[in-house]
Amino acid sequence: MNIIDIIVKKKNKQELTYEEMKYAIDGYIKGNIKDYQMSALLMAITINDMTKEETINLTKIMIESGDIIDLSSISGIKVDKHSTGGVGDKTTIVLIPLVASCGVNVAKMSGRGLGHTGGTIDKLESIEGYQVNLSKEEFISQISNIGCAVISQTNDVAKADKYLYALRDVTGTTESIPLIASSIMSKKIASGNDAIVIDVKVGNGALMKNIKEAQKLSKLMIEIGKAYNKKVVCVLTNMEQPLGQAIGNGLEIIESINTLKNIGPSDLKELIIVLGTIMVSIGKNIDEEEARKLVLYNLENNNAYSKFEQMIEAQHGNINNIKISDKYISIKSNKEGYINKIDAYKLGEIAKILGAGRFNKEDSINYKVGIVLNKKVGDKVLLNEELMKIYVDSTDINISDVINAFDIKDNVVIKQELIIDIIK
Amino acid sequence: MNIIDIIVKKKNKQELTYEEMKYAIDGYIKGNIKDYQMSALLMAITINDMTKEETINLTKIMIESGDIIDLSSISGIKVDKHSTGGVGDKTTIVLIPLVASCGVNVAKMSGRGLGHTGGTIDKLESIEGYQVNLSKEEFISQISNIGCAVISQTNDVAKADKYLYALRDVTGTTESIPLIASSIMSKKIASGNDAIVIDVKVGNGALMKNIKEAQKLSKLMIEIGKAYNKKVVCVLTNMEQPLGQAIGNGLEIIESINTLKNIGPSDLKELIIVLGTIMVSIGKNIDEEEARKLVLYNLENNNAYSKFEQMIEAQHGNINNIKISDKYISIKSNKEGYINKIDAYKLGEIAKILGAGRFNKEDSINYKVGIVLNKKVGDKVLLNEELMKIYVDSTDINISDVINAFDIKDNVVIKQELIIDIIK
């Protein structure tokens, strides 16, 4: 077996065997197969696609490349949650304590920001003292004690994925449905949960630009789940505009807290209720009607927020000290009308420029900066009314075209549905 | 401009601009763009193809990346020759002195062996003392004095091609018609000749496996030539079986000498007459009828061989001391019949194992080893009659399946035409 034959086989649109993919991936981790060979193979896969069998095999190889977390000492059905990433996506921070407050144990490992989207772990680190690195024992013990923990994904889970992900990011091979599916599912399956609810973001601010692609990805992830006897539910949600109003780490924590106190933005609230209902229904093995009532009850009675406080405290965070910059620029509308579009991708990029995200892996994050939207799609806006506030930490940042992130129409605009599809 | 956008653009089957390709190639030579990024781009090009304009632009960028040889001080129309590479292809060694003996100056730069095919420069180095590295001044002066020189391609011509070629060789991206066309044409155009005759090998022993591909490559090279006002003629020739009878460096030099003395194998003779006629016709601006007469005259009257002797002497070679191993294995037929096929690729690989070629760039070559075929396609063979001699330098080489290189049939086999097509 040699890597050039394997690359040429995929280039010629032929199906790779388990052994061929294993040879390629293991050889790459060991360093026998070079970056330039793996990137050629990844490009051939990105263009020529993979079959369901190839994708399941690749997932298996990636799972086998690292540790597999054993959550069996935690009682009940464990339900994991994943998001394919969007702008202003603070769902995990609200959802995990909410679901735990309903009596479902949640062992959540999250990632850092990449590209134009933020990462849950970066956001949580804007809480002073919050510990994102727990040992396996601490992690399991905290969940057994208080019902949830959100920690940083360790490098030991699906090790091969780390290598491939870093390479894909710099070689134009991120937009491949089988590579995305195997990347997500290898990490989720190795994380040891019984079921996985996946928020598949769709639109301009997401990796999946259209519904058809998102459906294809969802079905593939469900198939991979089946091969491991894991229930997978995919919720396709709109990412044509940012989720909620806040973009940026500290600002998103504040918005998360508001949402946990049931005074957050309506779209975020809707999303956590939908996702929470599915997770609680699976976790408690009850019907969705009953699960939804439980979710609403715990949200309205402050139980979700109390659970959040418990979790932050258990992970040594100080919730009373979230710093936001006191310098902001108010962006006002130059016309009267209705918000037709808000360019989530552009706002994500602007947040990154402000310092809320990273250009390189080594960059440090400024937790105090970001954007707060006053208007969302469908809202009416008057001339000179504020569209958003840009929280800055330095005044020499060039964000002159930020106004173009808003598209304003004269006529009434129908609000977009947040939940596009649910695939089980 | 950034390389990831350029890679993604080609991944999405869009046409790259001159500026984008220039950014990618120049950045790669400078080291700003990494091997793994260039290999992803090359794979996207290999799968998604390039337009004529893209290929012409890429060729231009590769020409601009290195030196351009000025042959204007040499009188007359200068005609270059190139072969896409085959097994037993010693055409250049015979053709260049033949054409020079007809009064056409030939300034030829050749390459070394790669893959399963040998290289003219390696073959010439089996002549003791032969100097393959001349300075530009020595090169031009020799051509002005005796009419021809064959030297090693310098690293300074089409510098970018060296980088891309080495990467393509290890990333499964060799089989791309636009990449092959721009690689050949950038070197040929930068070499400063007025016209180029290209021997496009077709078949199992060649890079082009079928006639359609070879025609596509030929037409593309002719188009690139037009953009530089260079006449290009492509001769498609059969490479289902090796050319001539000898494979291996010293053995091929002996066969070349025999052919120059007009006692060589008929297929090699046919090829040099066809290619020589085209080159002499262009070089002397005479019709092909007249050119052919001139070629035959100089071949039959020993003028071609005398020219070869002059060239070898001018480049300090000693033609009387070509060493061939005295150990050989005689491979005999295990049945009576007619030769149906001879696997050129397999014989090329066996010659490499014997030591006639390289597995890695650093490997040294054994000039004394190789293969001499007694039978060619269409020949009758008796039981136990010798099919070929394998000249070895060590007795522990495993060539047990060499007999399978010959396919022998009971019925008469029609000989294949050597010249498949001529495209101008």
Side-chain angles (χ1 to χ4, degrees), chain B residues 207 292 350 393:
Chain B
L207 204 54
R292 189 179 164 89
I350 289 169
D393 203 18

Side-chain angles (χ1 to χ4, degrees), chain B residues 29-40:
Chain B
I29 293 177
K30 280 185 203 134
N32 305 334
I33 288 162
K34 305 299 176 193
D35 276 338
Y36 49 79
Q37 293 170 322
M38 184 50 74
S39 72

Side-chain angles (χ1 to χ4, degrees), chain A residues 3-4 7-8 10-13 35-37 39-41 43-48 167 169-173 175-176, chain B residues 3-4 7-8 10-13 35-37 39-41 43-48 167 169-173 175-176:
Chain A
I3 187 64
I4 298 175
I7 298 170
V8 168
K10 185 39 79 180
K11 188 211 79 176
N12 290 335
K13 300 186 172 56
D35 275 339
Y36 48 79
Q37 292 171 323
S39 73
L41 180 59
M43 180 55 84
I45 289 171
T46 302
I47 298 176
N48 288 341
L167 187 61
D169 199 40
V170 292
T171 55
T173 50
E175 292 165 27
S176 157
Chain B
I3 186 65
I4 298 176
I7 297 171
V8 168
K10 184 39 82 179
K11 187 212 80 176
N12 291 335
K13 300 187 171 57
D35 276 338
Y36 49 79
Q37 293 170 322
S39 72
L41 180 59
M43 181 54 84
I45 290 172
T46 302
I47 298 176
N48 289 341
L167 187 62
D169 200 39
V170 292
T171 56
T173 50
E175 291 166 25
S176 157

Side-chain angles (χ1 to χ4, degrees), chain A residues 29-159:
Chain A
I29 293 177
K30 283 186 201 132
N32 305 334
I33 287 161
K34 305 299 176 195
D35 275 339
Y36 48 79
Q37 292 171 323
M38 184 49 74
S39 73
L41 180 59
L42 290 171
M43 180 55 84
I45 289 171
T46 302
I47 298 176
N48 288 341
D49 215 345
M50 287 208 290
T51 63
K52 190 181 91 179
E53 286 65 34
E54 279 180 302
T55 313
I56 290 173
N57 283 335
L58 177 59
T59 309
K60 186 168 191 288
I61 293 161
M62 299 216 287
I63 292 170
E64 291 165 349
S65 73
D67 289 354
I68 294 164
I69 311 282
D70 180 6
L71 298 178
S72 60
S73 59
I74 301 169
S75 64
I77 301 166
K78 274 82 61 182
V79 190
D80 203 353
K81 179 258 171 184
H82 183 79
S83 162
T84 60
V87 178
D89 185 9
K90 67 284 288 177
T91 314
T92 290
I93 299 162
V94 186
L95 186 65
I96 301 316
L98 172 62
V99 171
S101 73
C102 297
V104 177
N105 286 326
V106 195
K108 177 80 180 92
M109 297 204 273
S110 285
R112 295 191 181 273
L114 203 76
H116 67 286
T117 66
T120 297
I121 290 304
D122 295 325
K123 293 170 193 178
L124 284 169
E125 280 187 337
S126 64
I127 301 170
E128 197 184 80
Y130 187 85
Q131 265 301 335
V132 299
N133 298 311
L134 301 186
S135 70
K136 276 179 211 171
E137 295 70 29
E138 291 169 327
F139 183 51
I140 287 171
S141 145
Q142 177 175 324
I143 298 157
S144 299
N145 290 336
I146 66 164
C148 63
V150 181
I151 63 167
S152 181
Q153 177 93 57
T154 74
N155 282 323
D156 303 330
V157 168
K159 214 165 149 186

Side-chain angles (χ1 to χ4, degrees), chain B residues 117-151:
Chain B
T117 65
T120 297
I121 290 304
D122 295 325
K123 292 169 193 180
L124 284 168
E125 281 187 336
S126 63
I127 300 170
E128 197 184 80
Y130 187 84
Q131 266 301 334
V132 299
N133 299 310
L134 302 186
S135 69
K136 277 180 210 171
E137 296 70 30
E138 289 169 329
F139 182 52
I140 288 170
S141 144
Q142 178 176 323
I143 298 157
S144 299
N145 289 336
I146 66 164
C148 63
V150 180
I151 64 167

Side-chain angles (χ1 to χ4, degrees), chain B residues 67-81 96 104-109 134-145 147-154 157 187-196 230 279:
Chain B
D67 289 354
I68 294 165
I69 311 282
D70 180 5
L71 298 178
S72 61
S73 60
I74 300 170
S75 63
I77 301 166
K78 273 84 59 179
V79 190
D80 203 352
K81 179 257 172 186
I96 301 316
V104 177
N105 287 327
V106 195
K108 178 78 179 94
M109 296 204 273
L134 302 186
S135 69
K136 277 180 210 171
E137 296 70 30
E138 289 169 329
F139 182 52
I140 288 170
S141 144
Q142 178 176 323
I143 298 157
S144 299
N145 289 336
C148 63
V150 180
I151 64 167
S152 181
Q153 177 95 54
T154 74
V157 168
K187 283 180 288 193
K188 292 288 126 183
I189 291 166
S191 296
N193 285 283
D194 305 304
I196 307 136
K230 307 265 184 190
M279 290 176 77

Side-chain angles (χ1 to χ4, degrees), chain A residues 191-210:
Chain A
S191 297
N193 285 284
D194 305 305
I196 307 135
V197 176
I198 303 174
D199 182 3
V200 181
K201 303 285 188 195
V202 191
N204 157 281
L207 203 55
M208 296 290 104
K209 304 294 178 200
N210 65 62

